[in-house]
Amino acid sequence: MTAVTGDERVADPGRLRRLLIRPELGSVVGAIVVFAFFSGQSAVFRSVDGVANWLDPASTLGVMAVAIALLMIGGEFDLSAGVLTGTCGLVLVTLATRAGWNVWAAMLAGLAVALLVGFVNGLLVVRTKLPSFIVTLGTFLMLQGLNLGVTKALTGTVQVSGLRHAAGYDGARAVLAGSVTLGGTGFRVAILWWVAVTALATWVLTRTRAGNWVFAVGGNEQAARAVGVPAARVKIALFMTTAGAAWLVGSILALRFTSVQANAGIGQEFIFIIAAVIGGCLLTGGYGSPVGAAIGAVIFGMADKGIVFAGWDADWFKFFLGAMLLLATLANRLVRRYAEEVRR
Amino acid sequence: MTPLLETRDVGKTFGSVVALRGVSMTVERGGVTCVLGDNGAGKSTLIKILSGVHAPDSGTYLVDGEPVRFGSPREALDRGIATVYQDLAMIPLMSVWRNFFLGSEPPARGPSRALGGFDVATAKRVAREELRRMGIDIRDVDQPVGTLSGGERQSVAIARAVHFGARVLILDEPTSALGVKQAGVVLRYIAQARDRGLGVVFITHNPHHAYPVGDRFLLLNRGAGLGEYGKADIGRDELTSLMAGGAELDELAHELRRTDTPS
């Protein structure tokens, strides 16, 4: 009997199990299957141009999915995140075109609005102890109404446009919505933002005290409080992080299209959540991975463009969405059960 | 030698309900004091007084010989009095080492310290070492706490309390939800903690778990102490019979006996 005796019990099933218990597994397998499927349908899809094409929707979706994944690991939902991207874009374009603000200043104003919305969401959830599903459904509808009402009152139409002529537009566009050419193919700068956000989120979650607290408040809030974790602050910070991501994505899209529709972002909130779930997040909180959520977003990017490349009707996308969600949730559950049984 | 903890005639009332009255007990360094009693005997009220959740309404509570009045569990913890509750305050989906350091994560060395970085390598190493020092054989500190058995979880909670400087460990029914073998594992860690010089308060309703590790035995019945006994003063059978309310059991046996003559 030496100190090493413990290890012989993990030796072989251990390695397999450790691979299986990784929350990203489902999304990696899913991404490979979807890539193989569309590659078989269309040669353009698997070309470098094709990859650049489907990484574009994956990147903006991915930034949001990663932030939502952090929030879900912390045990909460945010249904207002999609419409908030629209709100941030509207604030940016309205201030820059109607009030003559510099684009950078207008972006800062958008960030302030976003962080305020996130703070209010978080505060309401923490103080009222209502499910965040209800609280953010409320803010979702309120923002939707505000976006439409204010836009109509200011412009008489349902969109604001003309960002191209605002001061500071070219610089902001280069940083957030430009392209970099790599081997003759243009890749969107948003892809870099997406990679950076994923890396940052992963570092914070796995290597900082705050990250440990995120897992804890999502896993068992009572127990976390009992050992001195500031649960309320952690949750409010998570809602503000999601709002910050919505600001980044809203600004990227506004700068790219130079105009924003009053209904922008509506309906996206569920896609963020689905991407996070495919990436291994549990609906009950306490478990998940930003990398998984980022890969979940890749699956959607591939499906979104792949259906077009394959020459199908884009209506099939929604069907695909639902099927992926069900499959991913089932796969996650099976894998987790298997992994936990092996440990006994 | 002054005892680590001592209560003299403490009592607690909630409205018109007398939850505890006149209970005296001592906890020595390197000693295990077992608190035995049936449901409703006042065990949990006593723990709450010891751990700083409630202040007693009467009597005195002394730590290191000086009277104290704790306003919160935090204050008790600062004096080295740690309580491991039955429901454990552990996060099942988090790994053993993350749970071990939750709320007291060691800061990273280097530039990431300012950003709230957490020294993961040290946390894993220390968790593994501390568990091994307690003689706890955890296969892998990366595994989620949810995959541990009940006894192992209790052991990790005990090791955590010891590592973070507990001098007195209050264990609330640590063996009640466990099978025979698992209970044995936890009893072994209680003995380990005792051998490292900690004072242990072991709350249980099972005299068979209490007797082997206990040095002193406090019996509670309906909120009052039936006396504190040293191990030399009381045998296992006597303890069991006192615990089960000897006379009451005889009466029950009488009541349950088949009546031969139908009335």
Side-chain angles (χ1 to χ4, degrees), chain A residues 9 18 207 209 212 343, chain B residues 98 116 118 137 140 143:
Chain A
R9 282 176 292 175
R18 213 175 265 190
R207 287 289 181 272
R209 307 187 67 191
N212 215 30
R343 284 170 187 275
Chain B
R98 281 189 181 275
F118 162 17
D137 180 22
D140 166 8
Q143 72 190 98

Side-chain angles (χ1 to χ4, degrees), chain A residues 83 86-87 90 143-144 146-149 151-152 157-160 260-266:
Chain A
V83 72
T87 307
L90 289 168
L143 285 174
Q144 188 178 351
L146 266 178
N147 284 2
L148 259 171
T151 309
K152 268 189 175 169
T157 65
V158 288
Q159 68 160 3
V160 284
V260 180
Q261 302 290 321
N263 66 354
I266 294 170

Side-chain angles (χ1 to χ4, degrees), chain A residues 75-80 120-121 124-125 128-142 239 270 273:
Chain A
E76 303 292 344
F77 287 101
D78 188 352
L79 296 183
S80 69
V120 170
N121 272 338
L124 281 173
V125 167
T128 62
K129 301 205 163 44
L130 286 172
S132 51
F133 200 82
I134 294 299
V135 171
T136 60
L137 182 61
T139 45
F140 162 64
L141 292 170
M142 284 159 67
F239 277 104
F270 282 112
I273 294 174

Side-chain angles (χ1 to χ4, degrees), chain B residues 67-139:
Chain B
V68 289
R69 202 165 178 85
F70 292 133
S72 74
R74 188 76 238 175
E75 289 175 31
L77 203 57
D78 291 342
R79 293 293 298 261
I81 301 163
T83 311
V84 175
Y85 286 103
Q86 212 171 350
D87 47 22
L88 287 171
M90 288 252 211
I91 322 280
L93 282 168
M94 287 171 78
S95 63
V96 171
W97 65 270
R98 281 189 181 275
N99 264 288
F100 196 94
F101 282 99
L102 184 60
S104 314
E105 295 85 357
R109 284 160 297 193
S112 72
R113 186 192 187 108
L115 299 168
F118 162 17
D119 190 346
V120 169
T122 301
K124 283 189 192 183
R125 182 176 50 78
V126 172
R128 195 176 296 121
E129 281 170 7
E130 277 297 322
L131 292 172
R132 192 166 289 158
R133 197 131 70 93
M134 288 285 293
I136 301 167
D137 180 22
I138 294 284
R139 282 142 282 179

